[in-house]
Amino acid sequence: MTSPAAPALSTAQPEDFFQLLKPRVMSLVIFTAATGLVVAGADINPLVGAIAILCIAVGAGAAGALNMALEHETDALMRRTRGRPVAAGRLRRNDALAFGIVLSVFSVMLLGMNTNWLAGGLLLLTIAYYAVFYTLMLKRRTPQNIVIGGAAGAFPPVIGWAAATGEAPWQAWLLFLIIFLWTPPHSWALALYSTGDYAKAGIPMMPVARGAKSTRLQILLYSLVFVPVAIAPGLTGLGGPIYLAVSVAGGLLFLALAFRLWRSRAGDQPDKAEAVGREAALYDVRAEAKPARNLFAFSILYLMALFAALLVERFAPFGAA
């Protein structure tokens, strides 16, 4: 009688577990959550606030780990994601799942006990929304996946606000709406020069399902809605003159890039260039795809600038009340 084969030894390194957390996404989550916590204007203990931001960051990382575990086969088909730890075979799927579940429980429980259960419940909703509703139910079923699923990435400022005050007023949801409306033009701009990847993986992103021309038009239409909403905090008292100047100037440039993209032929021909690395997959594109690449890159800068302006005004003596 032969003995069962011993399980293969894991080749995972600490760096692989760190990459499971999607650190690039986590950095944006930390920044927007911290903005929500600060602009709420509550008198919160700095240590409590720091632990709250840590919990939100860990919760976002947990959602990323669960997403990579559940999508490892899809990730392996796409040049932009094939180097991820589970897709590349450096980390077992079950290990990634366990890692994500443990971090989810830890982050939600600690946030609830450290601040309040509204914040903890919103963090739990965010993790479940991204890992289950978006990853398992939406992403492969509808070209509106990123529109509906984008809510997951818009929750952090609301969670930060709730952690500071125990409430989630309309101002917090205005910050949510900014990120929610920013997500489609941001994601579809990337999808325009990654269409071949998504098609090969069977993901019905908008350029795959509706074509490049329709996607470019929808990016423009969403941008026309997004920019006024991004300016709104400067007109409602949530933001002050610095925010208003940044949102208007950046918004005009955002619209100009969206209009240029609409007029372009980005996405009409699939980008056949092979990736040299993760950054190359994001930014090294053929000439006709550059309008999509430019909007994608600027959209990140614009969102960061909006939230940075809110933070600056809260700490500056001439900032918003």
Side-chain angles (χ1 to χ4, degrees):
M1 180 177 177
T2 58
S3 59
L9 294 176
S10 173
T11 60
Q13 300 296 318
E15 170 68 14
D16 293 320
F17 284 95
F18 180 69
Q19 289 301 322
L20 278 181
L21 304 179
K22 294 191 175 181
R24 183 183 286 109
V25 176
M26 183 190 285
S27 64
L28 186 60
V29 167
I30 292 172
F31 190 57
T32 57
T35 302
L37 186 144
V38 170
V39 302
D43 185 15
I44 184 171
N45 183 287
L47 179 59
V48 172
I51 294 174
I53 297 303
L54 174 64
C55 290
I56 297 170
V58 172
L66 293 172
N67 171 266
M68 286 194 196
L70 295 170
E71 286 204 314
H72 69 288
E73 293 179 345
T74 300
D75 284 345
L77 297 173
M78 301 174 63
R79 62 185 174 92
R80 187 173 60 85
T81 57
R82 64 191 177 197
R84 288 176 173 175
V86 184
R90 299 190 304 273
L91 192 62
R92 296 189 187 99
R93 175 179 181 270
N94 287 344
D95 291 343
L97 276 174
F99 186 62
I101 291 170
V102 169
L103 291 185
S104 298
V105 173
F106 169 80
S107 60
V108 169
M109 295 301 295
L110 182 57
L111 181 62
M113 293 185 293
N114 180 59
T115 58
N116 57 77
W117 289 106
L118 173 60
L122 286 170
L123 181 58
L124 176 60
L125 173 63
T126 302
I127 296 170
Y129 195 101
Y130 184 69
V132 178
F133 187 55
Y134 170 69
T135 301
L136 294 180
M137 300 177 64
L138 290 176
K139 193 167 184 178
R140 288 182 170 272
R141 288 178 169 83
T142 171
Q144 297 296 324
N145 49 21
I146 203 65
V147 177
I148 306 169
F155 274 115
V158 183
I159 302 172
W161 198 300
T165 66
E167 300 176 347
W170 68 266
Q171 294 95 332
W173 291 107
L174 179 56
L175 298 181
F176 170 96
L177 189 59
I178 289 172
I179 302 175
F180 181 76
L181 291 173
W182 166 87
T183 302
H186 166 76
S187 299
W188 287 338
L190 171 63
L192 276 172
Y193 60 91
S194 304
T195 305
D197 261 1
Y198 287 114
K200 184 168 60 175
I203 299 174
M205 289 295 284
M206 193 60 69
V208 177
R210 301 288 185 266
K213 184 177 181 180
S214 175
T215 303
R216 294 194 299 265
L217 175 60
Q218 291 190 63
I219 287 174
L220 178 61
L221 295 177
Y222 265 96
S223 299
L224 289 170
V225 177
F226 160 64
V227 169
V229 173
I231 295 171
L235 304 175
T236 60
L238 180 59
I242 296 176
Y243 181 89
L244 188 61
V246 169
S247 62
V248 170
L252 290 174
L253 182 53
F254 193 101
L255 289 176
L257 291 172
F259 183 77
R260 183 183 178 194
L261 175 57
W262 173 61
R263 294 284 303 274
S264 76
R265 298 183 60 190
D268 285 348
Q269 297 295 327
D271 188 359
K272 298 179 181 179
E274 287 297 323
V276 176
R278 278 192 287 267
E279 289 298 324
L282 286 175
Y283 297 110
D284 290 352
V285 300
R286 61 202 311 173
E288 58 266 34
K290 285 184 178 179
R293 187 273 313 273
N294 292 343
L295 180 62
F296 172 76
F298 180 74
S299 66
I300 300 172
L301 177 63
Y302 183 46
L303 189 69
M304 297 288 282
L306 291 174
F307 281 81
L310 289 174
L311 284 176
V312 167
E313 289 181 329
R314 288 295 162 174
F315 291 113
F318 48 82

